[in-house]
Amino acid sequence: MITRCSRLRGAGSVWAWGVSIGACMVALLSAASAQTAPERVATPESDRRPVAARKAPPAPTVPETVEVNGIRRAFTYGAAQHLPDADTRVTAERLTERGVVDLRGLEYVAPNLTVQSINGTASTNFYLRGLGFNDFTQNNMGPVVTYVDDVAFPYSTMASGLMFDMSGVTVTPGPVGTEHGQSTTGGEVKLRTNDPTDTFHYGASEDIASYARSRSDAYVSGPIAHGLSFRLAGQVRQGGGWQTNPLNGAHLGDADSWALRAKLKWTPDARTTVMLSGHVVRDQSEVVGGVPVARLIGSAPIPHLGWTQTEWSARNAFTDVIGRQHGLKPSENNWFWGADLHIAHDFGPVTVTAVSAFETEREAEYTDQDATAAAQADAYRTIAANSFTQEVRLANSHAGDRLQWVVGAYYQRSRMNQAFPFDYTDYLPARGYMQVSTFGLNQEATSQFGHVSYRLPRNVTLFVGLLHEIDDRGITGLTSRIYGGRTLNFHGENTAAAQFAGQVGVSWQATKNVLLYYKMSKGFKPGGFTANNTQVQAQLDPFKPESVLTYELGLKSDPIPNVLRINAAAFYNDFHNQQILGTILIPNYGPLSQLTNVPKSESWGFEGTIDLHPVRHVFVTQNIGWQRGNFQNFPTVNRAKTNAYYARTGVWKAINDNFSGVDNGQPKLTLNGQLDWRQAVSRDYAVEFGPNWVYRGAQAMTPGGTGFYRLPPYFLLGAHVTLRPASDRWQVTVYASNILNRQYFTSGGQATTTYLYIPGAPRFIGGRVSCGF
């Protein structure tokens, strides 16, 4: 279950093991010697909070027993079955079972969702229902926005390292923004963390797996004074690196990060809640290296690497320039921190909510983007960014009223500075130098929103929402300097947008357990800039705002309560100026990526979730996502044909094409699911075990891409076995991921001479012990 443990090193590991295992052992010994009251493994849905959020049980009068029917645990979020949405809601328990500890893992528990790491780093790109783009510089707002405890993170990297001490996740597809927060076209991912409790609780967990991977979590929560409570949670991650360099046997991929979150909750009276939160993340983890799959330029052979191998190099001259140590591995050197204040007061007919937040990102990461020992595309990126957001909402206080409404305003301001040193020394004869690009970004946005719904007779509800947003952003001070050579200075560019978005729809509660709905939504997302390795002023031309008109028809049903649940939605997206990563050719330099607009495109599909409890001990969840999409009008440079022409002639010539009728490249079919068998093994203990699975279809990484430009499909299989007592105060789990040890790839891209894939993790076998009191 544990391999290469000798590599688990450092004070962080000792502290993590000591705190987590020590806390669990003390708690387990205390539990074994204590008389405890009966508590059923199948806790009612209304109390499916983490153990830390429950009150201590009363003194016992009867022996403890186990009842493993699990119906309530399988059919969660019953109230959401009456909401007209296609949201995927995932409990904290399910996240733990599936090993979802970061944003990347969410695509394994939600349909039609793709979350891809950028060159194996902590930075991510989201695609939901085919809406998303590959933004290497991460200086633009994505079509899918991440929220943490109702705070919108305008740049997804800011949310890195915050998925611990979770209470749940919600993935919302389609245009949003008429009820809260930031307007988007693709949707949002909402992370919810645990709040302080009114009684004292504490707990810890330790997860140890193959390749000396360690994940340690701990929390403590409770009252300080009457109406005042706190929660403190932390996480440490170490090890887990599974790649090696065949040239020297060096090891790559170990995690090395820690995070803390603190919450202070004040309830001066029954109508008022004030929550102050703060967090900090320190990440010095190594990244996942790429695997070259094709030589685009030159005749040098592609290294023949094993699946778990990768090559890299950092020349001393380059590390001297960027101020890092010699022998630097591809890795992060990041700090993220922030604070937010939530205030809510119920005035009787109206509840006022205010959310203020400040988030900071200090990122520095080195990646070997050609994935070879040659210095042909070694990159070091630094980002210093901050964001301030302020939201105020007014809503009616009574959920049972026929008329439900919310109005509000949202403000967001961000500042960013980036630097991109590149080492092209071995990229001869085209470049053969080191270069650095720097720029600043200023952004400000305001929006006003409102949403109203009214319940008519016969359980028919009409709803309508409206949003107006103004966004103003500018790029400043961009330079591209060759060390020992020329410097290119570019004048700043600005772009502004002011548009309306909205929603209108109807829902019908046909029976107690069946809801039908139809809605039309218009989404809006502002434009922005490409700022990656700029060589000509035209590369800074802003791309236009994106808009989408979405038609959605949905069903939520429990045809056999506590036995069968079927939720499904069909959609059609009509895009105008869809933002996408295209290509520009720089004469005598080569093709470079550039964010651009597709004048007209479309996508359609469906997604669904089936929960099934066919017999007493069996519980099945299956998510299904299917989508198709076409570019209806997309004139651009065909990167594949342009690279092929250069390979034949040695001359850079833009081969222009119109991708009208070409598939948008997103995975057509995504499947993920889980089966659990829950069985009492005695009066006091129960066991749960079963497999989980993931299938993802092929994905084109460049418009019109075929061959190696199309990421292969893959299927993964995992499993777990968990032992828990009736009290549910501790549990021990043995698990495996990628049991079949399948070779697969999670993303891909081009860097100067090479096209590469980012490989996925091999088989991991591990164990986890957790406790909460």
Side-chain angles (χ1 to χ4, degrees), residues 503-557:
Q503 183 181 95
V504 60
V506 58
S507 67
W508 177 37
Q509 192 72 51
T511 70
K512 178 182 177 181
N513 298 317
V514 176
L515 175 76
L516 298 169
Y517 71 88
Y518 172 76
K519 61 183 177 182
M520 296 181 294
S521 307
K522 181 182 183 295
F524 159 75
K525 189 179 87 68
F529 306 93
T530 307
N532 176 21
N533 194 8
T534 305
Q535 298 298 312
V536 296
Q537 184 69 41
Q539 287 179 263
L540 292 183
D541 291 344
F543 52 88
K544 301 175 183 178
E546 170 184 274
S547 67
V548 60
L549 185 60
T550 298
Y551 305 85
E552 183 176 309
L553 177 65
L555 163 72
K556 288 188 169 182
S557 67

Side-chain angles (χ1 to χ4, degrees), residues 545-618:
E546 170 184 274
S547 67
V548 60
L549 185 60
T550 298
Y551 305 85
E552 183 176 309
L553 177 65
L555 163 72
K556 288 188 169 182
S557 67
D558 289 272
I560 309 176
N562 290 329
V563 174
L564 176 63
R565 172 177 290 177
I566 301 175
N567 293 343
F571 63 89
Y572 174 81
N573 292 321
D574 183 12
F575 301 110
H576 293 270
N577 290 318
Q578 181 181 1
Q579 296 165 3
I580 194 171
L581 187 67
T583 300
I584 186 173
L585 180 69
I586 308 300
N588 301 318
Y589 194 89
L592 292 175
S593 298
Q594 182 173 30
L595 292 167
T596 186
N597 295 97
V598 179
K600 192 72 170 64
S601 56
E602 62 181 350
S603 69
W604 62 93
F606 69 86
E607 63 235 354
T609 298
I610 300 173
D611 288 305
L612 182 63
H613 176 43
V615 295
R616 182 181 178 189
H617 300 292
V618 176

Side-chain angles (χ1 to χ4, degrees), residues 265-558:
K265 182 180 178 181
W266 180 42
T267 52
D269 55 60
R271 293 177 175 268
T272 307
T273 301
V274 179
M275 182 89 74
L276 177 64
S277 303
H279 62 265
V280 60
V281 177
R282 176 60 164 148
D283 188 359
Q284 295 177 288
S285 303
E286 297 164 4
V287 306
V288 178
V291 176
V293 295
R295 175 69 67 185
L296 301 175
I297 300 170
S299 57
I302 288 290
H304 294 289
L305 302 178
W307 174 30
T308 59
Q309 294 180 324
T310 186
E311 291 184 5
W312 71 88
S313 66
R315 298 170 57 253
N316 291 347
F318 185 59
T319 54
D320 288 341
V321 164
I322 63 178
R324 298 295 300 276
Q325 73 276 13
H326 292 178
L328 179 66
K329 292 183 179 181
S331 58
E332 309 279 357
N333 186 20
N334 307 335
W335 284 96
F336 306 101
W337 69 88
D340 52 83
L341 177 66
H342 293 63
I343 302 175
H345 182 75
D346 183 356
F347 287 94
V350 177
T351 297
V352 178
T353 303
V355 182
S356 309
F358 182 80
E359 298 296 335
T360 300
E361 171 186 356
R362 295 292 184 268
E363 184 175 21
E365 60 186 21
Y366 163 60
T367 53
D368 193 315
Q369 296 183 14
D370 59 283
T372 70
Q376 296 177 333
D378 293 4
Y380 188 73
R381 175 173 68 171
T382 64
I383 301 177
N386 60 70
S387 171
F388 171 76
T389 59
Q390 176 65 60
E391 181 175 358
V392 178
R393 298 192 302 267
L394 287 78
N396 66 305
S397 300
H398 306 297
D401 292 348
R402 287 183 176 273
L403 178 66
Q404 298 290 314
W405 59 270
V406 58
V407 295
Y410 181 80
Y411 172 77
Q412 188 244 324
R413 175 187 181 274
S414 65
R415 296 291 183 265
M416 176 182 288
N417 288 285
Q418 291 199 27
F420 281 89
F422 290 91
D423 189 356
Y424 299 124
T425 306
D426 295 332
Y427 183 12
L428 299 169
R431 300 177 193 176
Y433 50 73
M434 293 187 294
Q435 173 186 315
V436 60
S437 296
T438 60
F439 69 90
L441 181 76
N442 300 322
Q443 181 270 338
E444 193 169 15
T446 58
S447 64
Q448 306 81 40
F449 55 85
H451 193 95
V452 178
S453 67
Y454 186 78
R455 190 174 71 253
L456 299 170
R458 300 185 183 278
N459 296 319
V460 174
T461 300
L462 303 177
F463 54 92
V464 61
L466 187 64
L467 162 82
H468 181 259
E469 180 172 319
I470 300 174
D471 183 273
D472 188 6
R473 60 186 65 210
I475 193 167
T476 63
L478 195 147
T479 65
S480 288
R481 178 168 64 92
I482 295 175
Y483 289 97
R486 60 185 175 87
T487 298
L488 301 176
N489 295 293
F490 302 93
H491 61 76
E493 295 280 359
N494 292 276
T495 183
Q499 286 198 21
F500 284 93
Q503 183 181 95
V504 60
V506 58
S507 67
W508 177 37
Q509 192 72 51
T511 70
K512 178 182 177 181
N513 298 317
V514 176
L515 175 76
L516 298 169
Y517 71 88
Y518 172 76
K519 61 183 177 182
M520 296 181 294
S521 307
K522 181 182 183 295
F524 159 75
K525 189 179 87 68
F529 306 93
T530 307
N532 176 21
N533 194 8
T534 305
Q535 298 298 312
V536 296
Q537 184 69 41
Q539 287 179 263
L540 292 183
D541 291 344
F543 52 88
K544 301 175 183 178
E546 170 184 274
S547 67
V548 60
L549 185 60
T550 298
Y551 305 85
E552 183 176 309
L553 177 65
L555 163 72
K556 288 188 169 182
S557 67
D558 289 272

Side-chain angles (χ1 to χ4, degrees), residues 42-62:
T43 311
E45 180 180 326
S46 60
D47 195 33
R48 281 313 300 168
R49 297 163 292 168
V51 175
R54 303 180 204 153
K55 294 183 179 180
T61 57
V62 294

Side-chain angles (χ1 to χ4, degrees), residues 212-229:
R213 188 183 69 189
S214 171
R215 296 169 178 164
S216 309
D217 294 79
Y219 70 88
V220 59
S221 177
I224 300 175
H226 179 69
L228 185 65
S229 57

